[in-house]
Amino acid sequence: MTSTTAETTIVERETLHQLFEGARTTHRFTDEPVDLDIIRRAYEDLRWAPTAFNNQPLRLTVVAGEEARRAVVEHLMSGNQEKTLAAPLTLVAAYDPQWHEHKPFLTPGMPGLRENFADKPDARAAMGRDNALIQLGYLLVALRAHGLQVGPMTGLDPAGVDTAVHAENDWKTLAVINVGHAPDPEHDDAQHPRGGRFEFEHASQVR
């Protein structure tokens, strides 16, 4: 639900609570399967969020098969392996180093961007990674908005995961995200106690 004024539309506090303060990283999920259509709808929402020059470098690999999952798990830190094998669904979030090839479609009002970045692989890698990480943040919020619990992890060997799932497209791994419907009530480690958070005054300055 939203409330509308003459100046702006404000999201209800209850919804914000679901997305941020009331949500926590989940390590162990119930066994309820996750329909791929929910992931698709979450992506349909996140793709409209802002990035630099409307770049869309985020790429997702849905790890649905057992063989693919085990191939990915092989390249995770030991503490992330068992919970990933047990998760209802796992996503590999990556960026496409060739994101510039899509600039005529994504940014038609700025002709020449594709050609400008064609011979700048380092700049492409930096911009692709930065904007994909921004999109990754949107993805986590979008998945929560669609009622899912998430467990993002960066404790992994990115190059190893790339060999497992990106050999055909050269995407570059950023994170692995376990996804489910709810934390497992039978598992003590399903969600860790809430850690501290900085207040605005500790994390900002006014100049």
Side-chain angles (χ1 to χ4, degrees):
M1 297 292 293
T2 59
S3 59
T4 303
T5 69
E7 298 180 353
T8 187
T9 300
I10 302 174
V11 177
E12 293 287 355
R13 188 73 239 171
E14 180 180 351
T15 301
L16 292 173
H17 183 78
Q18 174 187 340
L19 299 180
F20 297 104
E21 185 180 358
R24 289 156 62 185
T25 296
T26 300
H27 302 277
R28 297 285 182 164
F29 303 87
T30 60
D31 293 334
E32 183 179 357
V34 175
D35 192 327
L36 180 58
D37 189 57
I38 303 178
I39 308 300
R40 181 178 291 108
R41 282 180 288 159
Y43 180 83
E44 286 296 313
D45 289 329
L46 80 88
R47 70 191 180 114
W48 300 107
T51 57
F53 300 111
N54 194 36
N55 288 340
Q56 303 279 288
L58 180 68
R59 301 292 183 267
L60 299 176
T61 297
V62 180
V63 186
E66 187 64 23
E67 182 178 350
R69 186 187 295 251
R70 290 191 175 278
V72 168
V73 164
E74 180 180 342
H75 302 288
L76 304 185
M77 291 177 56
S78 58
N80 292 331
Q81 292 180 344
E82 184 180 351
K83 60 185 178 183
T84 300
L85 288 173
L89 188 68
T90 296
L91 307 174
V92 176
Y95 75 92
D96 181 2
Q98 307 303 322
W99 56 264
H100 66 297
E101 294 290 350
H102 305 282
K103 296 313 293 176
F105 167 66
L106 294 172
T107 319
M110 300 181 69
L113 284 179
R114 176 174 59 186
E115 292 74 17
N116 183 54
F117 282 101
D119 61 351
K120 299 176 181 176
D122 291 342
R124 287 207 317 269
M127 187 169 285
R129 179 181 175 84
D130 288 350
N131 283 273
L133 286 170
I134 291 172
Q135 288 191 289
L136 175 55
Y138 297 142
L139 172 65
L140 299 180
V141 175
L143 291 170
R144 286 175 170 177
H146 284 270
L148 295 175
Q149 300 280 331
V150 296
M153 301 170 292
T154 55
L156 49 84
D157 172 17
V161 177
D162 289 341
T163 64
V165 294
H166 297 149
E168 297 178 359
N169 50 40
D170 198 35
W171 298 348
K172 303 301 181 185
T173 297
L174 297 172
V176 169
I177 309 163
N178 290 329
V179 183
H181 284 279
D184 183 357
E186 303 298 323
H187 204 291
D188 293 337
D189 198 39
Q191 291 182 328
H192 296 166
R194 170 72 81 191
R197 295 293 191 277
F198 289 124
E199 300 286 346
F200 177 78
E201 288 73 18
H202 290 93
S204 64
Q205 62 179 359
V206 178
R207 295 283 186 170

